[in-house]
Amino acid sequence: MKIRELMSLELFKSCKLLTNDIGLENDVDSAMVLEALDIENWSRKNQLILTSFYAFQDLSEAELTVFFQKMENLGVSGIVVKMDRLITMIPDWLIALCFQHNIPLIKVEQDVSYEKIMLTIYEPLLNHQEHLLRTYYDVRQRFTKLERNQHSFSQIMDTFYELIALPCSLKIPDLEITAQYGPSYEDYRLSESNYLATTEFTKNHYEQQLLLSPDEQTKISTLSVKIPTRFKNSCTLTVFYADRIEEAHMMILENVIDILYARLQTEYLIKKDRYARLNHLADSLLQNTPASMDELNSLLDEAQMNRYPYYQGLAFSVDENNAENADILQKLASLRTPKIFFEHYHYTVILYNLKEPGERISKTDIQNILKLDASVKSKAMISISRVKEKPALKDILLECLDTIRFNQQLQMGTVLSVDELGLFRYFMQEDQSEQLELLIHEPLKRLQQDESELFQTLYAFFQNNRNYKKTAEALFLHPKTIRYRLNKIQQLLMIEQTNPLQLVNFEIATYLLKARRREAND
């Protein structure tokens, strides 16, 4: 109740407001008779102070000033001064203090008792409290029924819209839910924003915004709340209104937030359980592939991955898990459907079910969808398997992981397809170490061991397509220095510049030695 509404009550119609329009919109939540001047110890915000003029008679000007400052700081709603037979007029200095501190002053005649004043103030307040409690109970009953029956988000919002009777919206990005009830104000622009103070009826934090229409002729206010979830993003509930939000509306909002939060928790647990189950299925398909085709088909059917005859895998490896990596995985998953995830500590493999080989995922597809920046390139590695039919399904995981391991050694780029490796695929297998030793010339081994600077120059030369200028730029050296070093390497290794086969052999051996050194250091 506000001072304006209080003055319209029957008892107060005979009273006089001595401070004109000051504080007419002040809220009145309670009333108290003034007994002592230590008002900071017993009064509170939105309280109406009842007193007789005698309470102020013996106070000095300084004491009166301090008392009124305390009332203003507390947010007292106003003062009701009850007259008696000896005092018939309130002095100007008291009225002036009320004007100075923006405190409404109401004069009540002597024949009106304190009891009548209290009853008149508290009757509408108690009726309002009763209405709020009844609203809370009724709303809680409606939402408890929804919660018990595990209703969907749309059913929860249907009930909310029916109860609050205001336009509203719900956004849950991680569940791809966007629901709008009533008019949409998407084309309105933000004009003002602030947060509502928490009251005795609210426990959530609400942001209030004022929106303007494109022609700035229409205003609409919003009240929105971020509901925390165990997903990546919060859920946002917004209510649109033209005038003001009533306390009954806040009761409805508080209840629907509780039911939405509970439903979000349930949804997260369901998704987590389903993800874990599918991860176990993916493990059985890729790492422990059944030899029996009937058993394999059964697993594929359960994972809903038996629609089409072809399969392709993609592995994603990073040093650490964070929100940015989750975004990358989400984009990679969107490349094809259906798909299933196999998650490990150090990598995640996505298995896609393809209708035909032409649907294969290429390196270009990944680069286009990710638009990889320098920070991602320095941390992530992505490998792509070849397209396989069902009997060769078990080879997909091996191809993905072998390609990533090989790329970690040679640093051939952020995205690497197994098809790009060519004859290097032969050396990805761990049992080829003896054959690897036979392919590397002893002089090249000694160069790496004894002349690391020259070996690094040779490696950079091959990495830069045997271009002297680019090699010099990569090593921050003069091109003449590069030529001098390469001439020296040519003499030590007895390389014939006109023998392309010999150059190819030395280039492959250099890459393999570089990879072996990295592996040893790790």
Side-chain angles (χ1 to χ4, degrees):
M1 181 171 60
K2 297 186 179 295
I3 292 291
R4 185 189 300 279
E5 296 166 339
L6 179 73
M7 296 305 296
S8 67
L9 298 177
E10 191 62 34
L11 181 141
F12 281 90
K13 286 181 179 179
S14 61
C15 301
K16 189 173 183 181
L17 185 63
L18 303 178
T19 47
N20 299 331
D21 294 335
I22 286 178
L24 289 179
E25 297 303 316
N26 287 1
D27 290 311
V28 179
D29 295 338
S30 63
M32 181 68 72
V33 176
L34 175 62
E35 294 180 349
L37 295 179
D38 59 339
I39 190 170
E40 70 275 10
N41 294 325
W42 52 266
S43 185
R44 57 192 175 92
K45 186 178 181 181
N46 297 338
Q47 190 170 71
L48 196 63
I49 304 298
L50 278 60
T51 183
S52 67
F53 181 71
Y54 285 106
F56 301 112
Q57 258 192 333
D58 298 327
L59 297 180
S60 67
E61 184 179 344
E63 288 174 320
L64 282 167
T65 300
V66 170
F67 180 74
F68 271 81
Q69 284 175 345
K70 288 179 181 179
M71 284 197 294
E72 184 178 10
N73 292 337
L74 280 170
V76 166
S77 300
I79 301 175
V80 176
V81 175
K82 184 178 178 301
M83 309 306 292
D84 61 29
R85 62 187 180 83
L86 298 178
I87 300 174
T88 59
M89 183 178 294
I90 295 177
D92 291 340
W93 59 262
L94 181 57
I95 299 173
L97 279 170
C98 288
F99 271 109
Q100 182 181 342
H101 295 278
N102 297 303
I103 298 174
L105 179 61
I106 304 169
K107 176 186 173 183
V108 178
E109 297 301 328
Q110 63 176 347
D111 59 337
V112 181
S113 67
Y114 280 120
E115 182 181 12
K116 284 184 178 179
I117 296 172
M118 284 292 195
L119 286 174
T120 301
I121 294 170
Y122 272 104
E123 185 178 6
L125 290 176
L126 291 173
N127 289 340
H128 182 62
Q129 294 280 3
E130 181 186 10
H131 169 69
L132 289 179
L133 290 173
R134 174 56 59 183
T135 300
Y136 182 87
Y137 176 77
D138 292 342
V139 170
R140 197 66 186 175
Q141 289 292 99
R142 292 280 298 272
F143 282 127
T144 299
K145 183 179 179 182
L146 284 176
E147 187 175 18
R148 188 166 51 245
N149 295 329
Q150 289 293 306
H151 281 50
S152 66
F153 287 105
S154 62
Q155 290 169 316
I156 293 171
M157 288 301 294
D158 287 341
T159 302
F160 174 63
Y161 183 47
E162 180 185 338
L163 288 168
I164 203 164
L166 291 171
C168 54
S169 68
L170 177 71
K171 294 181 180 180
I172 313 175
D174 295 278
L175 300 181
E176 298 180 354
I177 291 175
T178 300
Q180 178 70 44
Y181 293 79
S184 173
Y185 302 93
E186 290 289 336
D187 57 342
Y188 280 49
R189 67 172 182 83
L190 177 64
S191 176
E192 298 175 17
S193 178
N194 63 282
Y195 283 89
L196 290 187
T198 304
T199 70
E200 58 185 317
F201 300 111
T202 61
K203 61 179 181 289
N204 296 288
H205 298 288
Y206 295 91
E207 183 181 8
Q208 191 175 34
Q209 294 183 343
L210 179 65
L211 306 180
L212 291 177
S213 60
D215 60 4
E216 300 189 358
Q217 298 301 309
T218 307
K219 297 179 180 179
I220 193 76
S221 295
T222 73
L223 198 64
S224 63
V225 58
K226 297 283 187 184
I227 305 174
T229 74
R230 295 171 71 179
F231 296 106
K232 178 188 169 188
N233 300 291
S234 296
C235 160
T236 304
L237 177 66
T238 304
V239 173
F240 304 87
Y241 60 97
D243 187 16
R244 65 192 294 258
I245 284 283
E246 306 289 344
E247 286 179 324
H249 290 145
M250 300 307 297
M251 289 287 189
I252 299 169
L253 266 166
E254 288 287 307
N255 275 278
V256 78
I257 290 168
D258 287 345
I259 193 75
L260 285 171
Y261 178 78
R263 183 62 191 158
L264 285 163
Q265 294 292 91
T266 302
E267 196 70 26
Y268 174 81
L269 293 174
I270 291 171
K271 279 190 167 289
K272 185 178 179 182
D273 179 69
R274 183 174 181 272
Y275 188 87
R277 183 169 57 83
L278 289 174
N279 195 56
H280 288 311
L281 276 173
D283 175 54
S284 300
L285 289 169
L286 293 170
Q287 190 158 252
N288 301 292
T289 312
S292 165
M293 190 56 65
D294 289 340
E295 187 179 349
L296 178 59
N297 278 320
S298 176
L299 289 175
L300 288 169
D301 287 337
E302 187 177 354
Q304 298 183 9
M305 291 287 290
N306 208 9
R307 299 184 198 176
Y308 308 122
Y310 299 98
Y311 297 86
Q312 187 179 20
L314 184 154
F316 175 65
S317 175
V318 287
D319 295 334
E320 56 185 19
N321 292 319
N322 53 41
E324 186 179 21
N325 297 335
D327 285 338
I328 294 173
L329 271 176
Q330 189 174 7
K331 290 176 180 177
L332 292 175
S334 69
L335 285 167
R336 301 287 186 276
T337 55
K339 73 269 183 178
I340 191 171
F341 291 86
F342 173 50
E343 194 172 80
H344 195 265
Y345 295 115
H346 304 299
Y347 58 83
T348 298
V349 176
I350 308 175
L351 178 67
Y352 305 89
N353 189 198
L354 308 179
K355 191 173 184 179
E356 53 188 32
E359 291 183 354
R360 62 182 290 274
I361 296 170
S362 68
K363 185 174 179 178
T364 303
D365 292 333
I366 295 173
Q367 290 171 333
N368 287 341
I369 198 170
L370 294 184
K371 297 179 175 57
L372 298 171
D373 58 28
S375 63
V376 175
K377 289 180 180 179
S378 64
K379 298 175 183 176
M381 281 195 176
I382 301 168
S383 65
I384 313 169
S385 80
R386 292 174 297 174
V387 174
K388 307 277 186 182
E389 292 189 58
K390 200 181 302 179
L393 194 62
K394 63 181 179 180
D395 296 330
I396 287 178
L397 179 64
L398 294 175
E399 284 190 1
C400 285
L401 298 187
D402 284 343
T403 304
I404 276 189
R405 278 196 292 266
F406 193 74
N407 196 19
Q408 286 171 338
Q409 295 170 350
L410 290 184
Q411 303 292 325
M412 298 177 72
T414 304
V415 184
L416 186 65
S417 167
V418 68
D419 288 329
E420 293 181 77
L421 296 177
L423 60 88
F424 280 101
R425 284 168 48 199
Y426 178 78
F427 301 110
M428 291 194 308
Q429 302 172 21
E430 294 180 2
D431 59 355
Q432 300 300 325
S433 57
E434 291 184 5
Q435 295 296 326
L436 176 63
E437 289 296 322
L438 293 175
L439 288 172
I440 300 175
H441 301 286
E442 286 298 326
L444 186 60
K445 293 179 186 177
R446 289 196 297 272
L447 185 73
Q448 184 191 35
Q449 183 176 348
D450 302 333
E451 302 283 353
S452 59
E453 191 178 72
L454 293 179
F455 181 82
Q456 184 60 36
T457 303
L458 181 63
Y459 176 70
F461 182 64
F462 287 137
Q463 267 197 321
N464 289 280
N465 297 318
R466 305 176 193 175
N467 185 297
Y468 289 92
K469 184 178 179 181
K470 289 183 179 180
T471 305
E473 290 172 355
L475 297 177
F476 302 101
L477 295 171
H478 195 280
K480 288 185 178 180
T481 305
I482 298 300
R483 288 186 179 277
Y484 170 78
R485 289 185 180 181
L486 290 172
N487 287 334
K488 189 173 181 180
I489 292 168
Q490 184 179 348
Q491 294 172 9
L492 290 172
L493 300 181
M494 294 181 288
I495 299 175
E496 297 179 16
Q497 291 280 6
T498 57
N499 189 335
L501 185 60
Q502 187 185 41
L503 284 172
V504 168
N505 284 331
F506 271 107
E507 184 169 354
I508 293 172
T510 300
Y511 281 126
L512 295 175
L513 272 177
K514 187 72 174 178
R516 194 172 66 173
R517 173 63 62 86
R518 281 202 183 96
E519 189 174 9
N521 291 338
D522 292 341

